[in-house]
Amino acid sequence: MGNLGLLVFALVAGALVPLQLAFNGQLGGVTKNAFSASLVVFLVGTVALSAILLVMRPQLPSLEQLLTAPKTIWLGGLIATFYIIAVVTITPRLGVGLTVSLILVGQLCAGLLLDHLGAFGNPQHNFTLLRAAGLAMMIGGIVLITKF
């Protein structure tokens, strides 16, 4: 997949996030519990990924590869669990727009920090005044969304 394809893929993934928040918020209303709603989300995801794996038949990593990999690879599932519980809890109270905005700024802050540090083998990009200005504009957007 070329850069244009990756850009479109990222935009589509980003556009789906507000839908995910809205749907997960609805699910929380049905289950009346963020934990059971999160379990349903992960069960549906497990079924979908299992079907994709059956169709695509990619080579799976060996147990040895998984056990010798950096321990941080296991944190993604825990972070995803926290994220789904947070979304199910927050979205019905704050609304989709503000929730998405807060999540985006949180992602931007963490992304800028990870870039600045060159963390986890990613390329290092210094936190510059222009990057700080971009972050400040995003925070300003949250203020506007909150007040209006």
Side-chain angles (χ1 to χ4, degrees):
M1 185 180 301
N3 279 349
L4 179 59
L6 291 173
L7 291 172
V8 170
F9 192 34
L11 287 172
V12 170
L16 290 174
V17 169
L19 291 172
Q20 179 190 27
L21 270 64
F23 299 153
N24 289 349
Q26 284 181 321
L27 179 60
V30 169
T31 64
K32 307 285 190 254
N33 182 287
F35 301 106
S36 59
S38 299
L39 180 62
V40 170
V41 168
F42 281 107
L43 288 174
V44 171
T46 299
V47 169
L49 286 171
S50 297
I52 291 168
L53 287 172
L54 285 172
V55 170
M56 298 191 73
R57 306 186 65 74
Q59 182 178 353
L60 298 175
S62 68
L63 182 59
E64 180 184 348
Q65 288 172 310
L66 291 173
L67 292 176
T68 58
K71 302 304 177 221
T72 51
I73 68 167
W74 304 106
L75 296 177
L78 294 176
I79 293 168
T81 301
F82 176 84
Y83 174 80
I84 297 297
I85 291 168
V87 162
V88 169
T89 303
I90 297 165
T91 304
R93 292 177 175 95
L94 297 183
V96 175
L98 182 55
T99 303
V100 168
S101 300
L102 292 166
I103 288 170
L104 285 174
V105 169
Q107 289 174 340
L108 185 57
C109 288
L112 289 171
L113 177 63
L114 293 174
D115 274 355
H116 182 74
L117 299 173
F120 307 108
N122 289 294
Q124 196 258 342
H125 299 280
N126 289 329
F127 186 71
T128 63
L129 189 57
L130 288 175
R131 285 179 163 228
L135 177 59
M137 284 190 262
M138 293 285 290
I139 293 169
I142 288 177
V143 171
L144 292 174
I145 289 169
T146 303
K147 293 199 180 277
F148 304 102

